[in-house]
Amino acid sequence: MREFALIDRLSQRLANRRADTRLGIGDDGALVAPSAGQELAITTDTLIAGRHFPVDTSAFDIGYKALAVNLSDLAAMGADPAWVTIALAAPELNAGWCDALLDGALAAIGDASVDIVGGDTTRGELSLTITAIGCLPAGAALRRSGARVGDLIAVTGTLGDAAYGLQCWPTRDNATRDQQFFIDRLARPQWRPGAALRGLVNAAIDISDGLAADLEHVLSASEVGARLDIDTLPTSESMMRSCDRETRLGLQWSGGDDYELCVTLNEAQLDRARAAIDCPLTVIGEIEAEIGLRAFDRHGVRWNSDKARGWDHFA
Amino acid sequence: MREFALIDRLSQRLANRRADTRLGIGDDGALVAPSAGQELAITTDTLIAGRHFPVDTSAFDIGYKALAVNLSDLAAMGADPAWVTIALAAPELNAGWCDALLDGALAAIGDASVDIVGGDTTRGELSLTITAIGCLPAGAALRRSGARVGDLIAVTGTLGDAAYGLQCWPTRDNATRDQQFFIDRLARPQWRPGAALRGLVNAAIDISDGLAADLEHVLSASEVGARLDIDTLPTSESMMRSCDRETRLGLQWSGGDDYELCVTLNEAQLDRARAAIDCPLTVIGEIEAEIGLRAFDRHGVRWNSDKARGWDHFA
């Protein structure tokens, strides 16, 4: 398929949803008109075949995940997602594959008011780079630097499932129900509506590199420390059934790709935060003045930084 | 070099220039605060080694070109460039190479008030995806669809130099002055300050795929046709000295990568447009009601669409 034909095809499938999108795909750039008093959050993430997703991932799931991880970054800023560009490199393009990719991208967007306003296609190793732009009232962003001594630390959903999904990947053609659950958590992560937590939490990050690594970013930016109770990490029923305790806690502590939100908040806001977000919100620890992350399990064993490397693409 | 160390290093080099940049690199997203009444232009372009630049291009030139082509797209919308994200995939990262890439990117930005507010680094085939965001007054964008019957067609600078630069590339270690000029035009294209043409021209596009192909996009979007005088295409002195007429016109007609602007405007605005933009602006033809591109040289030979394929990454 030729590039211009592809762009035409995609454009036709992408009716704009937002009144403040003035011009979508088809010119040298898109045009959007943010409301007065709004700030914009901007984030960019690249996904490369064989690195961020298994090479035999379906086009649908590639599109889904690429959108989800970027919308998750906006959620972690407390922004309402608004506009997205998609830069696709692929060894070749065929219409069915591209349609499936777009189906996945649109499925990840779901009911959110998000327009795909631009992009680029080029020949190369299979990869997608998404830039996502979201809106929020001036000054209302959830930043990593906002954690305060005495804040509770809480996470959405359950942890470790996506990391275990990677282990289950070879079973995907005849997976059990539990294995399929983990594979889906890896391939189609659910970004959380972090915008709903504006005004309720003091700091937020999304867990892409693993809880320990990502929480360290919050502590470092906020110049605080934390105490964590490893045994409180929220666990899916499938994981309870599938893994022994040590395997499970290892995945939950340092496994990436869950795209849950980790937030810190005043205890007085906990009930309102739970009511605002459409998923479980589990308290796992507390922010302390003393620098460093002190994580202990029920046996009093301290989980050290060796288990907290997270995911570094060049390590 | 590890990813987080690299991000720290880049962040330290990137002081924000703009008062409306609220937060740069280092959180889940950047935060910016556009002024009330402004629209934003958004563009994304990927450059892949061996496809958009020779594999042995220097890190400086890769950084330079990646920024220039995206700032050129904003210029073609008439936007003042404001914010940029850089997603870099590379087989490995070393500090010197990354510093040189950033040097090149900052050189392409030059004195423009542009902040690099985010990005991503990952291991993979060498490529860069840039998203650039620019500001402009609501309704003032220069769109491909704005050409009107009777408009003059004009282009900035000179054409064909970058395409000839690709032919000169093998000489780069002992290039003549002219050869070096062409190589520089390919490796370090000069984006033009298209924002200066707001209110003066009716349509604009930047010439990335070749004059014929890009002008066709304007004609198609505007539902008009054009007559072009091939012998008026602006030519550098180096090209006059280096190429015979047929070679030269072929490069100027369909060679890509010049990143000059092609605009259409009312003749009454020509002097003001020339005064506003800091480079030659040469009239090469006229917009006509009859659909199609009719380009003739001084011998009356019509240049047909076979010579106008432009650059299609999947052709």
Side-chain angles (χ1 to χ4, degrees):
Chain A
M1 193 165 197
R2 293 183 58 131
E3 184 179 6
F4 299 127
L6 176 75
I7 293 169
D8 279 348
R9 184 186 181 88
L10 297 183
S11 307
Q12 284 161 16
R13 289 197 53 196
L14 295 172
N16 291 325
R17 300 177 179 189
R18 299 179 61 90
D20 52 6
T21 301
R22 295 283 182 262
L23 182 66
I25 292 171
D27 210 305
D28 292 294
L31 293 170
V32 304
S35 304
Q38 294 276 295
E39 285 182 4
L40 300 180
I42 307 167
T43 187
T44 295
D45 256 317
T46 299
L47 278 75
I48 295 186
R51 192 154 296 275
H52 301 89
F53 54 85
V55 290
D56 50 356
T57 302
S58 70
F60 182 98
D61 285 351
I62 294 170
Y64 192 106
K65 185 159 187 174
L67 264 287
V69 307
N70 279 280
L71 298 182
S72 178
D73 275 326
L74 292 184
M77 298 301 291
D80 294 296
W83 302 289
V84 167
T85 66
I86 302 180
L88 169 67
E92 58 175 335
L93 290 185
N94 86 47
W97 190 91
C98 290
D99 278 335
L101 185 99
L102 193 55
D103 288 340
L106 293 171
I109 290 171
D111 294 331
S113 180
V114 174
D115 287 338
I116 299 174
V117 293
D120 190 22
T121 57
T122 191
R123 196 192 296 262
E125 183 184 61
L126 179 59
S127 74
L128 272 116
T129 298
I130 308 285
T131 297
I133 301 174
C135 302
L136 69 172
L142 309 179
R143 294 172 52 167
R144 296 180 181 181
S145 57
R148 298 174 200 165
V149 174
D151 274 1
L152 301 179
I153 302 166
V155 293
T156 59
T158 57
L159 296 180
D161 301 320
Y164 195 59
L166 193 57
Q167 295 185 25
C168 296
W169 188 258
T171 72
R172 69 197 173 286
D173 288 334
N174 54 356
T176 64
R177 243 177 80 180
D178 281 340
Q179 286 167 335
Q180 192 58 51
F181 167 80
F182 296 120
I183 289 168
D184 286 347
R185 287 276 288 166
L186 175 70
R188 300 182 192 178
Q190 177 60 54
W191 58 280
R192 301 298 185 183
L197 297 176
R198 284 198 306 253
L200 299 173
V201 308
N202 295 326
I205 193 169
D206 71 326
I207 302 175
S208 53
D209 296 337
L211 172 64
D214 287 318
L215 180 55
E216 287 274 19
H217 292 316
V218 171
L219 302 183
S220 168
S222 300
E223 299 181 345
V224 294
R227 175 170 297 263
L228 235 65
D229 180 353
I230 288 288
D231 285 284
T232 60
L233 301 186
T235 307
S236 65
E237 290 176 22
S238 292
M239 178 153 284
M240 274 299 183
R241 282 192 292 269
S242 305
C243 297
D244 61 39
R245 181 174 174 278
E246 184 152 354
T247 304
R248 169 172 71 79
L249 291 179
L251 293 168
Q252 294 181 307
W253 174 243
S254 62
D257 268 354
D258 280 322
Y259 299 98
E260 297 293 352
L261 296 178
C262 176
V263 301
T264 84
L265 73 173
N266 190 297
E267 187 166 8
Q269 302 285 12
L270 184 59
D271 287 344
R272 264 179 284 187
R274 281 181 166 148
I277 198 149
D278 186 28
C279 63
L281 185 65
T282 306
V283 175
I284 61 169
E286 191 175 329
I287 296 294
E288 297 179 333
E290 188 188 345
I291 300 299
L293 175 52
R294 292 163 292 281
F296 296 92
D297 66 20
R298 66 186 179 204
H299 304 302
V301 174
R302 179 165 178 175
W303 286 59
N304 62 32
S305 60
D306 279 354
K307 293 178 178 166
R309 274 168 307 169
W311 183 254
D312 181 329
H313 296 296
F314 292 92
Chain B
M1 193 165 194
R2 294 183 58 131
E3 185 179 7
F4 299 129
L6 177 75
I7 293 169
D8 278 350
R9 184 185 181 88
L10 297 183
S11 307
Q12 283 161 18
R13 289 196 54 195
L14 295 173
N16 291 325
R17 300 177 179 189
R18 299 178 62 88
D20 53 5
T21 301
R22 295 282 182 263
L23 182 67
I25 292 172
D27 210 305
D28 291 293
L31 293 170
V32 305
S35 305
Q38 293 277 296
E39 286 183 2
L40 301 180
I42 307 168
T43 186
T44 295
D45 256 317
T46 299
L47 279 76
I48 296 186
R51 192 153 296 275
H52 301 89
F53 54 85
V55 289
D56 51 356
T57 302
S58 70
F60 182 98
D61 285 350
I62 294 169
Y64 192 105
K65 185 159 186 172
L67 263 287
V69 306
N70 278 280
L71 298 181
S72 178
D73 274 328
L74 293 184
M77 298 301 291
D80 293 295
W83 302 289
V84 166
T85 67
I86 302 180
L88 168 66
E92 58 175 334
L93 290 186
N94 84 48
W97 191 90
C98 289
D99 278 336
L101 185 97
L102 193 55
D103 288 340
L106 293 171
I109 290 171
D111 294 332
S113 180
V114 174
D115 287 338
I116 299 174
V117 293
D120 190 22
T121 57
T122 192
R123 197 193 295 265
E125 183 183 60
L126 180 58
S127 74
L128 273 117
T129 298
I130 308 284
T131 298
I133 301 174
C135 303
L136 69 171
L142 309 179
R143 295 173 53 169
R144 296 180 181 181
S145 57
R148 299 175 200 164
V149 173
D151 275 1
L152 300 179
I153 302 167
V155 293
T156 60
T158 57
L159 296 179
D161 301 320
Y164 195 60
L166 193 58
Q167 296 185 24
C168 295
W169 188 257
T171 72
R172 70 197 173 286
D173 288 334
N174 53 357
T176 64
R177 244 177 79 180
D178 281 340
Q179 286 167 335
Q180 192 58 51
F181 166 82
F182 295 120
I183 289 168
D184 286 346
R185 288 274 290 165
L186 174 70
R188 301 182 191 176
Q190 178 60 54
W191 59 279
R192 300 298 184 183
L197 297 176
R198 284 197 305 253
L200 298 174
V201 308
N202 295 328
I205 193 169
D206 70 327
I207 302 174
S208 53
D209 296 337
L211 171 64
D214 287 318
L215 180 57
E216 287 275 19
H217 292 315
V218 172
L219 301 183
S220 167
S222 301
E223 299 180 347
V224 294
R227 175 171 297 264
L228 235 65
D229 179 353
I230 289 287
D231 286 284
T232 60
L233 301 185
T235 306
S236 63
E237 290 176 22
S238 292
M239 178 154 283
M240 274 299 182
R241 282 192 292 267
S242 305
C243 296
D244 60 39
R245 180 173 175 276
E246 184 152 352
T247 303
R248 171 173 72 79
L249 290 179
L251 294 167
Q252 294 181 307
W253 174 244
S254 63
D257 268 353
D258 281 322
Y259 299 98
E260 297 293 351
L261 297 178
C262 176
V263 300
T264 83
L265 74 174
N266 190 298
E267 187 166 10
Q269 302 286 12
L270 183 59
D271 288 344
R272 265 178 283 188
R274 282 181 165 149
I277 197 149
D278 186 27
C279 64
L281 185 65
T282 306
V283 174
I284 61 169
E286 191 174 329
I287 296 293
E288 297 179 332
E290 188 189 342
I291 299 299
L293 176 52
R294 292 163 291 283
F296 296 91
D297 65 20
R298 66 186 180 203
H299 304 301
V301 174
R302 179 166 179 175
W303 287 60
N304 63 32
S305 59
D306 280 351
K307 292 178 178 166
R309 274 169 306 168
W311 183 254
D312 181 329
H313 296 296
F314 292 93

